[in-house]
Amino acid sequence: MKIIKTSYSALNTFESCPLKYKYQKIDKIRAPKSKEAVFGNKIHKALEYLHSSSPLFPTLSELLDYFKEIWPVSDDEDWPFMSEEEDMVYFSEAIKILKNYYSKISKLKERPVVLDTETSFRIEIEKPKGFKSSFDQCFVNGFIDRIDKTKDGLEIVDYKTSKRFPPQEVVDNNLQLSLYCLGVLDKWPQFAEKGVENIKLTFYYLKHQESISTKRSLDDLKKVKEEVWEVLEEIDKSDFEPKPSGLCDWCPYKQICPMWKHLYKKQLSVDDQKIKEVADEYFKLKEENKKNNKRVNELKEIVDRYLDKEKLDRVFGEIGYITRSSSVRYSYNTKEVEEILKKLGKWEEVLSVDDKKVKEIIESLPSSVRRDIESKKKKDREYFTYKVNKKKKE
């Protein structure tokens, strides 16, 4: 029996970049933690201390003292900050967040009734019918930052230290919160009896001191199980190609990724130096073409206005002349043409598959039907495209 143990983080990594997933989860290439990861981890530990202390709630001074104790370099991780100045910037930001959080909590009429912090869970996501993955069983592991008891049921709280505040639609369809909901229902089944609608799912954005919440239905959770297995099927058949995006700047594997490896070459050969010059020339020509195309369109508009005004179809310059001619596109009345061609036995010959339309239709179909159609795909042709991007200013 083939079993896969995974987590939301792993599934999200694969969807963000299959190659990063391979480096991290399959090849198990060790990578240092990012500044953002260490920053978030330390704040999470401080909030765990705050909400798990008993019987007395810590004072702000006690909270900040605890944070100062856990901030310095620890033995189990590589400290990512490259200078004292950089270290102080992150430390000061963390202190600011904790002060603001403590202030907001202190002003509440009733403080949260915290059932648990850093709650671990391990759930089995059963393989739905129709899935053809080579995996037979799937277990999802995770940790929930905080679980509160509410008047109606529970609130699952996940802290975020990112700047971006997502729209409600994104939170309503968030896989992480859905898996956390499944994890809590598995750990405390008595809350399932009260109704899943009584479980509130919340992202708390610490930099903004704002939260955004959502809920799930039983149908939602059923779909989530299918969503997990859809990702597993993609992993199962993946070639683990890199997927460049804005997230690359935070990837610890950037220097070995084929999309970035050339940038980090330390010793440049003659060919390496030559190709850099070629790339620069290519970029300049693309920029010139872009400017030229823009100017050509501007000149066309000037010519059009002149021809309309003078009621002409051609203008002359010293080098040559420009002629404007009109063309008309026609469309057939499909039903009438079909009747004519069917009588001649020719209708089947004109029918063809519109790939774009087929893709649109597939995306609207149930997941089981989509998977069946996807399994019928075959490689038609392979081609390369070239995209030019300016380097970010340092």
Side-chain angles (χ1 to χ4, degrees), residues 3-55:
I3 299 172
I4 184 169
K5 297 175 183 178
T6 189
S7 64
Y8 163 73
S9 175
L11 298 173
N12 185 55
T13 296
F14 176 79
E15 294 196 299
S16 299
C17 178
L19 184 59
K20 182 182 179 182
Y21 176 90
K22 181 177 183 294
Y23 286 154
Q24 191 176 77
K25 300 299 178 182
I26 299 175
D27 299 339
K28 299 188 183 302
I29 300 174
R30 187 179 179 277
K33 291 183 179 179
S34 68
K35 299 164 192 172
E36 290 74 22
V38 171
F39 174 76
N41 176 262
K42 297 298 184 183
I43 293 178
H44 276 63
K45 283 186 177 180
L47 294 179
E48 180 186 3
Y49 163 78
L50 177 68
H51 286 294
S52 60
S53 296
S54 180

XYZ file of all heavy atoms in Angstrom, residues 3-55:
428
model
N 1.449 4.987 0.748
C 0.898 6.020 1.629
C 1.685 7.312 1.446
O 2.908 7.294 1.330
C 0.975 5.566 3.100
C 0.161 4.290 3.303
C 0.472 6.666 4.033
C 0.326 3.672 4.675
N 0.985 8.440 1.421
C 1.649 9.744 1.382
C 1.248 10.549 2.607
O 0.078 10.620 2.963
C 1.316 10.523 0.084
C 2.114 11.841 0.058
C -0.175 10.772 -0.060
C 2.070 12.558 -1.260
N 2.263 11.102 3.274
C 2.024 11.992 4.409
C 2.357 13.402 3.951
O 3.451 13.655 3.461
C 2.898 11.591 5.590
C 2.588 10.195 6.122
C 3.559 9.789 7.227
C 3.285 8.360 7.689
N 4.258 7.928 8.726
N 1.419 14.297 4.121
C 1.611 15.641 3.592
C 1.043 16.680 4.559
O 0.656 16.373 5.682
C 0.965 15.760 2.191
O 1.328 17.008 1.596
C -0.534 15.624 2.249
N 1.013 17.912 4.113
C 0.496 19.013 4.926
C -0.005 20.093 3.981
O 0.272 20.050 2.773
C 1.602 19.590 5.817
O 2.625 20.153 5.011
N -0.703 21.063 4.550
C -1.139 22.173 3.702
C 0.066 22.871 3.099
O 0.067 23.217 1.919
C -1.961 23.188 4.511
C -2.071 24.505 3.784
C -2.897 24.626 2.668
C -1.285 25.603 4.148
C -2.962 25.808 1.948
C -1.346 26.789 3.436
C -2.176 26.884 2.336
O -2.229 28.050 1.613
N 1.089 23.062 3.906
C 2.292 23.751 3.433
C 2.899 23.040 2.227
O 3.289 23.671 1.240
C 3.320 23.833 4.560
O 4.527 24.395 4.087
N 2.961 21.707 2.287
C 3.537 20.936 1.181
C 2.672 21.044 -0.074
O 3.190 21.225 -1.180
C 3.690 19.470 1.592
N 1.370 20.925 0.092
C 0.452 21.022 -1.052
C 0.533 22.410 -1.680
O 0.545 22.549 -2.907
C -0.982 20.726 -0.614
C -1.250 19.315 -0.055
C -2.659 19.226 0.500
C -1.029 18.255 -1.131
N 0.604 23.419 -0.840
C 0.689 24.792 -1.328
C 2.018 25.031 -2.049
O 2.067 25.725 -3.070
C 0.550 25.762 -0.158
C 0.502 27.202 -0.610
O -0.318 27.588 -1.443
N 1.393 28.027 -0.087
N 3.091 24.430 -1.523
C 4.402 24.552 -2.170
C 4.364 23.954 -3.564
O 4.883 24.547 -4.516
C 5.488 23.848 -1.331
O 5.611 24.521 -0.072
C 6.831 23.867 -2.044
N 3.741 22.786 -3.708
C 3.664 22.154 -5.026
C 2.908 23.021 -6.017
O 3.331 23.185 -7.165
C 2.995 20.783 -4.939
C 2.809 20.132 -6.287
C 3.864 19.492 -6.918
C 1.584 20.202 -6.951
C 3.712 18.925 -8.184
C 1.424 19.646 -8.206
C 2.488 18.994 -8.824
N 1.780 23.575 -5.579
C 0.988 24.400 -6.478
C 1.712 25.696 -6.829
O 1.536 26.234 -7.917
C -0.378 24.686 -5.864
C -1.226 23.410 -5.719
C -2.690 23.702 -5.496
O -3.013 24.340 -4.479
O -3.504 23.285 -6.333
N 2.525 26.208 -5.888
C 3.289 27.424 -6.158
C 4.453 27.144 -7.100
O 4.720 27.909 -8.021
C 3.828 28.018 -4.850
O 2.771 28.365 -3.998
N 5.146 26.025 -6.856
C 6.288 25.647 -7.707
C 6.620 24.170 -7.510
O 7.176 23.780 -6.475
C 7.509 26.497 -7.378
S 8.965 26.043 -8.363
N 6.298 23.324 -8.495
C 6.576 21.888 -8.385
C 8.049 21.566 -8.128
O 8.359 20.620 -7.401
C 6.115 21.339 -9.744
C 5.037 22.285 -10.172
C 5.510 23.628 -9.713
N 8.965 22.350 -8.693
C 10.384 22.059 -8.496
C 10.806 22.328 -7.052
O 11.584 21.572 -6.467
C 11.242 22.884 -9.455
C 12.752 22.591 -9.391
C 13.039 21.124 -9.692
C 13.520 23.491 -10.347
N 10.291 23.387 -6.467
C 10.591 23.666 -5.058
C 10.084 22.517 -4.190
O 10.751 22.113 -3.228
C 9.945 24.987 -4.628
C 10.261 25.341 -3.182
C 9.581 26.630 -2.757
C 9.893 26.948 -1.289
N 9.222 28.168 -0.824
N 8.905 22.015 -4.520
C 8.356 20.864 -3.793
C 9.316 19.687 -3.873
O 9.581 19.013 -2.871
C 6.994 20.481 -4.379
C 6.379 19.233 -3.770
C 5.541 19.319 -2.663
C 6.645 17.974 -4.309
C 4.981 18.184 -2.098
C 6.091 16.833 -3.755
C 5.260 16.928 -2.653
O 4.714 15.801 -2.091
N 9.840 19.431 -5.049
C 10.777 18.300 -5.233
C 12.047 18.502 -4.401
O 12.495 17.583 -3.704
C 11.143 18.148 -6.709
C 12.094 16.990 -7.007
C 12.343 16.869 -8.498
C 13.238 15.672 -8.811
N 14.601 15.844 -8.283
N 12.623 19.689 -4.486
C 13.830 19.980 -3.707
C 13.584 19.773 -2.214
O 14.409 19.209 -1.500
C 14.267 21.427 -3.933
C 14.918 21.703 -5.278
C 14.858 22.983 -5.832
C 15.590 20.710 -5.977
C 15.460 23.264 -7.058
C 16.195 20.980 -7.203
C 16.121 22.256 -7.741
O 16.718 22.532 -8.950
N 12.412 20.240 -1.761
C 12.115 20.272 -0.334
C 11.609 18.946 0.207
O 12.090 18.471 1.245
C 11.073 21.365 -0.075
C 10.844 21.712 1.372
C 9.860 22.863 1.487
O 8.645 22.687 1.332
N 10.360 24.064 1.743
N 10.650 18.334 -0.498
C 9.958 17.168 0.046
C 10.480 15.820 -0.461
O 10.366 14.814 0.232
C 8.458 17.266 -0.257
C 7.796 18.507 0.332
C 7.923 18.523 1.842
C 7.295 19.786 2.426
N 7.442 19.837 3.897
N 11.002 15.798 -1.675
C 11.478 14.530 -2.240
C 12.997 14.409 -2.095
O 13.510 13.424 -1.553
C 11.055 14.407 -3.719
C 9.524 14.419 -3.830
C 11.616 13.121 -4.322
C 8.996 14.415 -5.250
N 13.721 15.428 -2.582
C 15.177 15.401 -2.479
C 15.654 15.755 -1.075
O 16.792 15.459 -0.713
C 15.799 16.379 -3.486
C 15.443 16.028 -4.927
O 15.083 14.860 -5.167
O 15.505 16.913 -5.793
N 14.777 16.399 -0.307
C 15.075 16.807 1.072
C 16.377 17.606 1.166
O 17.254 17.330 1.995
C 15.114 15.584 2.003
C 13.778 14.844 2.059
C 13.758 13.781 3.114
C 12.446 13.009 3.104
N 11.261 13.844 3.301
N 16.508 18.581 0.288
C 17.668 19.469 0.310
C 17.461 20.502 1.412
O 16.511 21.278 1.383
C 17.858 20.174 -1.047
C 18.079 19.139 -2.154
C 19.028 21.152 -0.985
C 18.142 19.729 -3.549
N 18.367 20.494 2.374
C 18.227 21.407 3.506
C 18.460 22.844 3.052
O 19.381 23.117 2.286
C 19.224 21.046 4.603
C 19.031 21.854 5.884
C 20.039 21.442 6.947
N 19.874 22.239 8.170
C 20.393 23.451 8.341
N 21.110 24.006 7.369
N 20.197 24.122 9.472
N 17.630 23.736 3.514
C 17.760 25.146 3.150
C 17.585 25.996 4.393
O 16.780 25.664 5.273
C 16.714 25.530 2.108
N 18.345 27.074 4.512
C 18.189 27.949 5.678
C 16.827 28.615 5.689
O 16.237 28.873 4.646
C 19.310 28.983 5.491
C 19.593 28.982 4.017
C 19.352 27.572 3.564
N 16.321 28.892 6.885
C 15.030 29.566 6.999
C 15.165 31.021 6.571
O 16.195 31.651 6.784
C 14.524 29.493 8.438
C 14.120 28.094 8.874
C 13.569 28.105 10.279
C 13.138 26.702 10.713
N 12.619 26.690 12.097
N 14.127 31.540 5.972
C 14.139 32.936 5.528
C 13.941 33.869 6.717
O 13.504 33.456 7.794
C 13.030 33.168 4.504
O 11.761 33.058 5.127
N 14.243 35.133 6.506
C 14.033 36.139 7.547
C 12.566 36.192 7.951
O 12.222 36.289 9.140
C 14.481 37.509 7.042
C 15.948 37.573 6.673
C 16.238 38.787 5.824
C 17.634 38.691 5.221
N 17.894 39.754 4.251
N 11.697 36.131 6.931
C 10.257 36.218 7.194
C 9.769 35.017 8.014
O 8.910 35.167 8.895
C 9.491 36.290 5.876
C 9.657 37.598 5.121
C 11.030 37.743 4.457
O 11.685 36.714 4.218
O 11.441 38.896 4.209
N 10.335 33.824 7.717
C 9.921 32.618 8.438
C 10.344 32.683 9.906
O 9.566 32.349 10.808
C 10.516 31.386 7.771
N 11.576 33.124 10.158
C 12.065 33.241 11.535
C 11.282 34.317 12.283
O 10.872 34.129 13.432
C 13.577 33.560 11.550
C 14.052 33.902 12.960
C 14.366 32.373 10.994
N 11.054 35.442 11.617
C 10.277 36.556 12.187
C 8.893 36.064 12.620
O 8.453 36.294 13.756
C 10.166 37.651 11.133
C 9.285 38.808 11.491
C 9.713 39.785 12.378
C 8.024 38.944 10.912
C 8.900 40.866 12.694
C 7.214 40.023 11.224
C 7.651 40.983 12.118
N 8.205 35.365 11.725
C 6.869 34.854 12.028
C 6.886 33.805 13.124
O 6.019 33.789 14.012
N 7.888 32.926 13.088
C 7.992 31.850 14.077
C 8.154 32.401 15.494
O 7.528 31.924 16.447
C 9.168 30.947 13.717
C 9.412 29.856 14.754
O 10.261 30.005 15.609
N 8.660 28.776 14.666
N 9.001 33.428 15.656
C 9.233 33.997 16.983
C 7.974 34.681 17.527
O 7.653 34.578 18.709
C 10.388 34.997 16.931
C 11.730 34.390 16.541
C 12.188 33.345 17.539
C 13.570 32.808 17.183
N 14.012 31.731 18.101
N 7.245 35.381 16.651
C 6.004 36.034 17.086
C 4.965 34.987 17.483
O 4.262 35.138 18.485
C 5.463 36.955 15.980
C 6.411 38.140 15.769
C 4.068 37.461 16.341
C 6.003 39.078 14.663
N 4.888 33.909 16.710
C 3.955 32.833 17.036
C 4.259 32.247 18.417
O 3.343 31.962 19.205
C 4.031 31.725 15.981
C 3.194 31.988 14.774
N 3.412 33.043 13.937
C 2.120 31.318 14.266
C 2.524 33.020 12.955
N 1.722 31.990 13.136
N 5.539 32.065 18.718
C 5.918 31.503 20.021
C 5.528 32.445 21.151
O 5.078 32.008 22.218
C 7.426 31.237 20.053
C 7.845 29.989 19.297
C 9.322 29.694 19.490
C 9.706 28.390 18.793
N 11.155 28.081 18.974
N 5.684 33.755 20.915
C 5.324 34.743 21.938
C 3.824 34.728 22.199
O 3.379 34.808 23.346
C 5.780 36.130 21.503
N 3.034 34.604 21.140
C 1.577 34.578 21.299
C 1.118 33.267 21.935
O 0.118 33.237 22.669
C 0.899 34.786 19.938
C 1.124 36.176 19.318
C 0.449 36.276 17.960
C 0.625 37.288 20.236
N 1.845 32.200 21.654
C 1.536 30.925 22.315
C 1.771 31.065 23.826
O 0.957 30.613 24.640
C 2.414 29.813 21.755
C 2.147 28.454 22.385
C 3.117 27.378 21.931
O 4.050 27.692 21.168
O 2.936 26.222 22.361
N 2.884 31.685 24.188
C 3.181 31.931 25.607
C 2.085 32.784 26.243
O 1.621 32.504 27.356
C 4.542 32.635 25.724
C 4.784 33.304 27.049
C 5.142 32.563 28.169
C 4.640 34.697 27.177
C 5.352 33.187 29.399
C 4.846 35.327 28.398
C 5.196 34.571 29.505
O 5.399 35.191 30.714
N 1.654 33.827 25.546
C 0.636 34.736 26.066
C -0.668 34.006 26.372
O -1.255 34.177 27.441
C 0.384 35.862 25.052
C -0.702 36.868 25.397
C -0.276 37.717 26.596
C -1.020 37.755 24.200
N -1.121 33.182 25.414
C -2.452 32.570 25.549
C -2.450 31.230 26.278
O -3.515 30.719 26.625
C -3.078 32.407 24.170
C -3.557 33.689 23.560
N -4.599 34.408 24.097
C -3.114 34.399 22.488
C -4.795 35.504 23.365
N -3.911 35.526 22.393
N -1.279 30.679 26.528
C -1.245 29.386 27.224
C -0.831 29.533 28.684
O -0.862 28.561 29.442
C -0.279 28.426 26.517
O 1.037 28.963 26.489
N -0.431 30.755 29.088
C -0.050 30.982 30.489
C -1.277 30.876 31.395
O -2.349 31.364 31.056
C 0.579 32.367 30.645
O 1.785 32.450 29.911
N -1.079 30.237 32.523
C -2.205 30.028 33.440
C -1.644 29.916 34.867
O -0.533 29.424 35.059
C -2.943 28.747 33.051
O -4.024 28.489 33.893
N -2.359 30.375 35.874
C -3.742 30.892 35.810
C -3.822 32.387 35.490
O -4.893 32.892 35.182
C -4.283 30.613 37.211
C -3.072 30.741 38.088
C -1.922 30.211 37.279
